[in-house]
């Protein structure tokens, strides 16, 4: 695996991304509960019942649609609602935000961008035309991905929207689960949640790298087959 990663030419960036995200997780897990402002938000949402859920979904959707971290939404979801409900609600908010951004991009920005940068749109469409699911999944699994930019670019293309949303939902889960665990850990006071979160970070990153390398190998094979 290490040899293949080096061959991809992305080892330094990958190491930096892993270290940064692990540091964030460790720091978040070690901060005292009374020093976390988000904890108060979580407690207020939990106390508000059904109204709090509506507020959480609405604010989470708007926040992720403009590029604010879905990890923060997941953390607050874990604080307010615990592990599984927090994951489900934060994932719903993140996907709704993703949908909102794509629709705004497709309906309000696409024609302007197509007129001004036709060559760019053509290259982008050609890039995403094949293996859409795998390519989007790889982007979503990376620890420091450009979520807003990805959503905007998808709105400029005619790629399968179903594949895009499915890949986004699956790719969101590992990292969002990390921060839901951190939030739920603060909520119930379980220190082992930090260790589980760090392990999930590594699994998420290496899964993304593995998919990327498999995709590159398929591309090379296709080029060789077409040249025969």
């Amino acid at each position: 695996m290490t040899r293949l990663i080096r061959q991809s030419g992305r080892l330094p960036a990958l190491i930096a991304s892993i270290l940064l995200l692990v540091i964030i997780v460790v720091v978040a897990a070690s901060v005292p509960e009374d020093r976390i402002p988000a904890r108060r938000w979580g407690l207020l949402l939990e106390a508000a019942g059904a109204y709090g859920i509506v507020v959480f979904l609405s604010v989470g959707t708007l926040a992720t649609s403009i590029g604010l971290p879905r990890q923060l939404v997941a953390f607050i979801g874990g604080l307010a609602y615990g592990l599984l409900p927090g994951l489900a609600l934060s994932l719903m908010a993140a996907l709704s935000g993703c949908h909102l951004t794509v629709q705004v991009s497709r309906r309000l920005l696409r024609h302007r961008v197509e007129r001004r940068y036709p060559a760019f749109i053509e290259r982008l469409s050609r890039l995403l035309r094949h293996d859409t699911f795998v390519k989007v999944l790889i982007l979503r699994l990376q620890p420091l991905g450009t979520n807003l930019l990805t959503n905007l670019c998808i709105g400029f293309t005619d790629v399968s929207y179903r594949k895009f949303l499915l890949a986004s939902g699956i790719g969101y889960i590992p990292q969002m689960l990390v921060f839901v665990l951190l939030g739920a850990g603060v909520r119930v006071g379980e220190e082992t949640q930090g260790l589980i979160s760090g392990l999930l970070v590594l699994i998420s990153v290496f899964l993304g790298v593995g998919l990327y390398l498999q995709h590159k190998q398929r591309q090379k094979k296709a080029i060789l087959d077409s040249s025969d």
Side-chain angles (χ1 to χ4, degrees):
M1 174 65 77
T2 302
R3 181 174 61 85
L4 290 174
I5 293 173
R6 286 197 181 98
Q7 288 177 353
S8 71
R10 298 186 173 219
L11 184 59
L14 175 64
I15 292 175
S17 297
I18 293 173
L19 289 176
L20 181 57
L21 194 57
V22 168
I23 289 171
I24 292 172
V25 170
V26 170
V27 170
S30 61
V31 174
E33 293 183 22
D34 56 358
R35 297 293 183 87
I36 303 176
R39 186 172 189 274
R40 291 193 291 273
W41 306 342
L43 293 175
L44 287 172
L45 288 170
E46 183 181 23
Y51 176 74
I53 293 176
V54 172
V55 170
F56 176 78
L57 289 174
S58 301
V59 175
T61 295
L62 292 174
T64 53
S65 72
I66 61 174
L68 294 179
R70 61 184 182 273
Q71 291 88 345
L72 177 60
V73 175
F75 182 72
I76 296 173
L79 280 167
Y81 306 111
L83 179 55
L84 293 181
L87 178 61
L89 289 170
S90 59
L91 185 61
M92 190 183 304
L95 284 174
S96 298
C98 171
H99 172 76
L100 180 59
T101 305
V102 172
Q103 292 306 313
V104 169
S105 173
R106 184 163 287 175
R107 297 174 185 276
L108 300 182
L109 304 176
R110 178 173 178 175
H111 295 302
R112 299 178 185 178
V113 176
E114 279 182 337
R115 286 198 302 267
R116 190 163 184 177
Y117 306 104
F120 166 74
I121 297 300
E122 174 60 28
R123 287 197 300 271
L124 182 63
S125 299
R126 192 164 54 246
L127 173 66
L128 295 172
R129 189 170 297 133
H130 303 291
D131 297 325
T132 304
F133 179 87
V134 174
K135 290 175 180 175
V136 173
L137 182 59
I138 290 170
L139 285 173
R140 298 310 198 192
L141 285 170
Q142 297 312 301
L144 299 175
T146 52
N147 188 56
L148 177 61
L149 183 59
T150 299
N151 295 340
L152 287 172
C153 287
I154 289 295
F156 301 149
T157 70
D158 291 316
V159 301
S160 172
Y161 195 56
R162 182 180 300 177
K163 290 181 181 179
F164 167 70
L165 281 182
L166 181 60
S168 295
I170 295 173
Y172 281 162
I173 290 173
Q175 289 181 48
M176 295 190 72
L177 180 56
V178 168
F179 286 87
V180 169
L181 279 167
L182 287 173
V186 171
R187 186 173 182 263
V188 300
E190 296 180 2
E191 296 180 358
T192 54
Q193 302 285 24
L195 296 176
I196 297 173
S197 300
L199 180 61
L200 283 169
V201 169
L202 296 178
I203 291 173
S204 170
V205 171
F206 281 104
L207 181 58
V209 171
L211 287 170
Y212 171 77
L213 294 175
Q214 287 180 6
H215 173 68
K216 296 297 288 184
Q217 288 176 348
R218 285 199 301 270
Q219 280 189 324
K220 287 181 181 179
K221 184 178 179 182
I223 293 172
L224 291 174
D225 291 341
S226 63
S227 63
D228 290 341

